[in-house]
Each structure stands twice: as C-alpha cells, then as structure tokens.
Amino acid sequence: MTLNIQAQLIRYQDCPSTPWKNGGGSTKQLLISPINAELTEFDYRISIASIGSNGPFSLFNGIDRQLVILEGDGVELSIDSHEGAKQINDLGEEERILGDTDTTEYKRLTPIDSPFCFAGETSITSQLLGSNVIDFNVMTKRGVFKAHTQRLNFDGIFIEENTAITNNNQNEHCNAAEYVPIVQLLCCLDTMTWEHNSKFIKIMPYDMLIIKPGEDIKLVTTAPSRLLSVTIAAC
C-alpha cells in the first residue's frame, strides 16, 4: 500500500505465504530488491518465517543474514563451525557459543535476544525449544549492501526523524561514521497507530513501514510496544 511518494506501508496479512519444500514451515516475503529478483540473485530481502519443525537452514552463498525470533519458545542452532567459525560475527564480547565437539557449536535464540548475524553459507540446523516459532529475516548481498537490525521499545509516542540528503549536506554524510542508508524500515511488533498526513492509520503486528530520506514517522500506542528497526546501506 503506497500512501505517497515518501511513505510506504507493507501489510503483513497481504503478503503471500510460501510453504517450504520440506514441509517444516512457511515464509512471507515483505520486501525484495530488485522487485522481481529470484532467491538466487537479489540485493536485499526482508521476510518473516513460521517454523513448525526441526531442520536445516537453506544455504545462501554470498549472502549475509540476520535473524530475530519474534514468537514462540525459541530455537537452538547447531552450527558447523569447522567450515567457518568466523562467519558468525555478532556475538557479544562476553558471550560464548557452547559446543560438544570440535566442529559443532550451539546457540539458543529466544524472543528477548538480539539479532543473530551469520553468513548464508554456514551449515546450521534449527531445533525448536518448544512451541512453533515466528522469526524475522534480513538478507543482504555481501560486499554490495550491509544491514543493521535492532530492537526498539517505546510507550506512548515514537518519533523517527530523518534528514533528507541534499547537495549541502552530502559531504557531511559521507564523512560521518555512520553509513548513509539506502532504505530504512520499521517492522511493528505490536498494534499501534501511525499519524500520517493528518490521518490515523492502524498498524497491525508485523506490518512494515519503509521510510525514505526526509520522511519523519510518528507512531502512537497506549501500551508498551516493540519495533524492529532495519537500516540497509551500500558498502
């Protein structure tokens, strides 16, 4: 649903669900670039998956991945570290992946954990900790695009202010430590209201807002609420 040249709202319920070939789950693709790209050749991709059984992750060569658990008890990942332990790149300094062999490491992910980053070539098997799981996936083509995903919490009003990049401030952005985003996204994890052009638009869980340069976003809620913020930039 496109509201104007600046803002775009992607409704989770309107995204088709694609069952996995192994029957263990399904995926809803929220965004892919280029728009008609195949899974073997894309620049970046955002999706939400429902996992109903244990099984291996699909391999994506040349792709960096970020995974966030949204619902369920969580998963335990069995990671083949022999083929590339350095591919796991977003573990805390004090965090250690546990393993019982020289080639297998284990990582538990739950709905309260930070995004888990890994290379798409890594052999990983997922085991449910209990109930079925819903997760959020960010994929970017390595060496071309990079992504930063973080959890945000707010109560009441959330305002995201974005400055348009013009000729006057382009050099300032290029010299800044933070990269200039190609696209910025907010995935809403709870029900809230988007105040946009004097309209009040109800946002449902897993709906996603695409924020363009110069677009300010105001979200309102009556209870503590959660967001996922994703910034994608060129390398």
Side-chain angles (χ1 to χ4, degrees):
M1 175 181 177
T2 302
L3 298 178
N4 61 28
I5 195 171
Q6 292 293 325
Q8 185 178 8
L9 172 61
I10 298 175
R11 292 289 191 185
Y12 174 75
Q13 67 175 9
D14 295 337
C15 298
S17 180
T18 303
W20 297 351
K21 292 181 179 180
N22 64 9
S26 62
T27 297
K28 284 196 171 193
Q29 180 175 281
L30 277 67
L31 179 68
I32 194 169
S33 181
I35 190 169
N36 294 319
E38 300 291 337
L39 292 184
T40 55
E41 189 63 30
F42 58 85
D43 292 332
Y44 52 85
R45 181 176 185 250
I46 307 291
S47 62
I48 293 179
S50 300
I51 305 175
S53 64
N54 304 330
F57 281 12
S58 298
L59 299 180
F60 289 88
N61 294 329
I63 298 296
D64 288 326
R65 300 187 60 179
Q66 300 182 19
L67 176 68
V68 183
I69 302 299
L70 302 180
E71 290 185 26
D73 294 323
V75 295
E76 181 172 81
L77 305 180
S78 301
I79 303 161
D80 188 343
S81 61
H82 177 71
E83 66 181 31
K86 293 182 180 179
Q87 294 173 338
I88 303 166
N89 54 32
D90 194 38
L91 301 180
E93 294 180 0
E94 298 180 356
E95 184 175 2
R96 183 171 66 91
I97 293 182
L98 302 178
D100 56 8
T101 71
D102 292 335
T103 61
T104 303
E105 297 173 336
Y106 300 98
K107 169 73 176 177
R108 286 198 171 196
L109 293 178
T110 70
I112 64 172
D113 289 321
S114 300
F116 178 61
C117 304
F118 60 99
E121 299 88 349
T122 309
S123 294
I124 298 179
T125 299
S126 172
Q127 181 174 347
L128 295 171
L129 297 177
S131 60
N132 292 355
V133 161
I134 296 178
D135 63 34
F136 182 84
N137 300 271
V138 180
M139 300 185 186
T140 52
K141 181 182 291 186
R142 188 176 306 123
V144 181
F145 291 94
K146 54 188 175 182
H148 176 68
T149 304
Q150 63 177 333
R151 293 182 181 271
L152 301 175
N153 298 283
F154 74 102
D155 189 357
I157 298 176
F158 174 88
I159 297 178
E160 180 77 11
E161 295 181 346
N162 292 274
T163 303
I165 300 175
T166 65
N167 292 333
N168 293 330
N169 63 12
Q170 186 173 16
N171 291 334
E172 178 182 345
H173 277 269
C174 291
N175 295 329
E178 295 183 359
Y179 48 63
V180 177
I182 297 295
V183 60
Q184 190 167 359
L185 316 166
L186 287 174
C187 183
C188 304
L189 305 186
D190 299 293
T191 302
M192 57 192 71
T193 300
W194 177 25
E195 293 189 12
H196 180 73
N197 288 345
S198 302
K199 297 180 180 178
F200 298 90
I201 303 166
K202 187 174 183 179
I203 304 295
M204 301 300 294
Y206 307 152
D207 288 350
M208 189 169 71
L209 287 165
I210 301 179
I211 311 169
K212 300 297 176 65
E215 179 76 7
D216 294 339
I217 297 294
K218 182 179 180 180
L219 300 171
V220 179
T221 182
T222 58
S225 298
R226 303 160 298 152
L227 299 165
L228 282 178
S229 173
V230 180
T231 301
I232 298 175
C235 292

